Amino acid sequence: MRRGLLVLAATITALVAACGAAAPPSVQSTAQARAAAPGADSPVAFADERLAATADTLTPPNYPTRTTPEGTWLTKGADDWTAGFLPATLWRVYERTRDPAWRDRAVRWTQPLTAETSHDDTDLGFKMFMTFAVEHQLTGDEAAKQTALAAADTVAARFNPSVGMVRVWDDRDDETQYRVNIDAMMNTELLYWAGQNGRPQYTEIANRHADRTMADLVRPDATTFMFADYDQRTGALQRRYTEQGAFDDSTWARGQAWAVYGFATAYRYTRNPSYLATAHRTADWFTTHLPPDHVPYWDFSVPQAPPQPRDTSASAVVASALLAMSELDADPAAKQADVDGARTLLTALSSPPYLARGTTMPSILLHGTQNVPEGQADTGIQFGDYYYVEALNRWERQVGPATQLIAR
């Protein structure tokens, strides 16, 4: 990816937000105040409209996961791995606006997840960090902090020192098998945050998990495997494969995106340069292998043409990660390249083919793909909407109004 020369001046509020914490209302930046009242044509205004409609129409614990062909949300219970994304998105709108109505919505949708702290056979990092830990960061609520720490305890208990990784799913067939996927890098933020909030030993667990993920699931060419199996008695790597990609050696688009975001997050907490280098390598590969309209198909190894479905959620994840990286990079050229990459992705996502404006779909983005092998393709997806909103927040804090992202 070619690097420019512009230095982006990061405000203190933006730096704090990039580290997972938010400034109190009294120190909101000018950019935050501007973002709180976006213009009618802004993708931010459209996203707020869609989110309010979803949050006020559905009733917890019926959590929206993806859209149906009829234009409604398919919902899941609080035990589903996607259940945290609607409340997480509501918290991000509250972070930007400081409007009590958005806080009320976020609390209403967060509270039914409280009992999930001990649900260990799932992705608790997605579900519990972006809800309860973020609630604590934004409001100071002590109960939310303790709920997030309890979830971190559950995740840490799944760490196997022989493997050096946190197990993601329980295996039903082979007691020696220990399964870890690239998605699990997204669970490390809960551990890193807990390491800064009374559980210092969890930082080492997160580091060891990231190190072995980097060694075993990131290929030399910067593409990624989805899964690895290990012998939990010896820690030996047994095989690498996929469950949601096209085939074992393919590059599943969202898995590549999880790697970009996960290693950028690991660097933010540790300042380990190998993590930032891995985030850049995987991001550069992602952005340089996109089709002409800059929205990936669900897997980079399938024919890059219809009828293969797209995955807007993967672009949203990488766009948000690139903006986070732009605040972490010391090199001005790298900073500008991060912003340029995010601009390209967000402009594509905000264009008529991919933004749900003018359609009957309740989601913000169209054409997301959750799991092709299970027939979950070409829908709106709540987690795609979350990362799109998070990326828009970062854009407005760091760069300027999101109306810049609308192609004229």
Side-chain angles (χ1 to χ4, degrees):
M1 183 189 298
R2 190 166 61 184
R3 309 292 186 184
L5 297 176
L6 178 64
V7 179
L8 294 179
T11 64
I12 291 176
T13 300
L15 285 171
V16 173
C19 292
S26 60
V27 294
Q28 288 185 70
S29 68
T30 301
Q32 283 178 299
R34 179 178 62 243
D41 62 341
S42 170
V44 173
F46 173 70
D48 287 359
E49 175 190 323
R50 284 296 167 97
L51 282 169
T54 294
D56 296 346
T57 302
L58 298 178
T59 302
N62 299 302
Y63 290 93
T65 298
R66 60 184 180 275
T67 59
T68 67
E70 293 73 33
T72 60
W73 282 113
L74 173 69
T75 62
K76 298 282 188 177
D79 60 337
D80 193 74
W81 75 273
T82 64
F85 286 107
L86 175 60
T89 315
L90 299 173
W91 281 119
R92 291 307 177 196
V93 180
Y94 174 69
E95 177 185 34
R96 172 173 51 81
T97 65
R98 299 295 171 169
D99 183 339
W102 286 104
R103 176 176 175 170
D104 291 346
R105 288 185 179 106
V107 169
R108 175 171 175 256
W109 281 94
T110 297
Q111 286 306 305
L113 300 175
T114 303
E116 287 294 296
T117 55
S118 59
H119 184 184
D120 65 344
D121 191 14
T122 189
D123 291 303
L124 280 185
F126 285 120
K127 191 183 300 185
M128 308 303 275
F129 174 80
M130 297 185 303
T131 51
F132 293 99
V134 169
E135 178 181 1
H136 171 69
Q137 291 170 344
L138 295 175
T139 71
D141 187 272
E142 183 63 23
K145 177 181 179 180
Q146 295 306 316
T147 299
L149 287 173
D153 293 341
T154 298
V155 174
R158 296 179 69 81
F159 178 73
N160 181 312
S162 296
V163 179
M165 304 180 88
V166 175
R167 184 178 194 161
V168 294
W169 294 339
D170 292 330
D171 187 75
R172 296 176 296 276
D173 303 318
D174 183 352
E175 65 179 11
T176 69
Q177 191 177 29
Y178 195 93
R179 309 177 73 193
V180 182
N181 58 11
I182 193 69
D183 318 39
M185 279 300 299
M186 303 297 287
N187 288 323
T188 60
E189 185 161 18
L190 181 62
L191 295 174
Y192 281 125
W193 170 85
Q196 296 178 346
N197 288 274
R199 306 285 198 275
Q201 67 275 24
Y202 293 175
T203 298
E204 179 60 20
I205 290 175
N207 286 340
R208 290 191 61 188
H209 182 98
D211 290 344
R212 188 142 198 196
T213 299
M214 189 165 52
D216 291 350
L217 289 175
V218 180
R219 302 180 182 115
D221 67 354
T223 61
T224 52
F225 293 99
M226 182 183 180
F227 263 101
D229 281 357
Y230 300 89
D231 186 321
Q232 63 183 332
R233 299 168 303 183
T234 67
L237 174 65
Q238 295 178 321
R239 66 179 182 126
R240 290 175 288 203
Y241 60 103
T242 195
E243 289 202 354
Q244 290 178 240
F247 48 88
D248 288 348
D249 291 329
S250 73
T251 302
W252 175 48
R254 198 166 69 252
Q256 189 76 10
W258 293 146
V260 177
Y261 195 110
F263 283 105
T265 299
Y267 177 74
R268 173 154 46 87
Y269 282 90
T270 66
R271 293 304 192 267
N272 180 335
S274 65
Y275 297 158
L276 185 59
T278 301
H280 275 303
R281 290 175 58 236
T282 51
D284 288 351
W285 195 95
F286 184 99
T287 57
T288 57
H289 287 78
L290 291 171
D293 68 354
H294 307 293
V295 176
Y297 290 88
W298 68 285
D299 191 299
F300 285 99
S301 303
V302 301
Q304 301 293 284
Q308 299 291 340
R310 305 291 188 126
D311 186 10
T312 52
S313 74
S315 275
V317 171
V318 174
S320 189
L322 284 169
L323 289 169
M325 289 157 63
S326 77
E327 293 187 320
L328 300 170
D329 274 312
D331 176 55
K335 284 179 176 291
Q336 185 58 39
D338 295 335
V339 172
D340 289 344
R343 178 186 289 109
T344 297
L345 295 174
L346 288 174
T347 300
L349 293 176
S350 303
S351 67
Y354 298 108
L355 196 67
R357 195 196 304 267
T359 75
T360 59
M361 285 295 167
S363 58
I364 300 169
L365 295 177
L366 303 171
H367 305 302
T369 292
Q370 184 169 345
N371 189 332
V372 166
E374 293 190 4
Q376 301 164 4
D378 198 20
T379 70
I381 300 178
Q382 185 60 55
F383 55 79
D385 288 355
Y386 169 80
Y387 288 103
Y388 180 66
V389 168
E390 184 182 78
L392 291 178
N393 277 12
R394 285 175 164 159
W395 181 270
E396 294 215 331
R397 285 198 302 265
Q398 298 167 222
V399 185
T403 49
Q404 300 173 18
L405 303 169
I406 302 172
R408 302 296 181 183

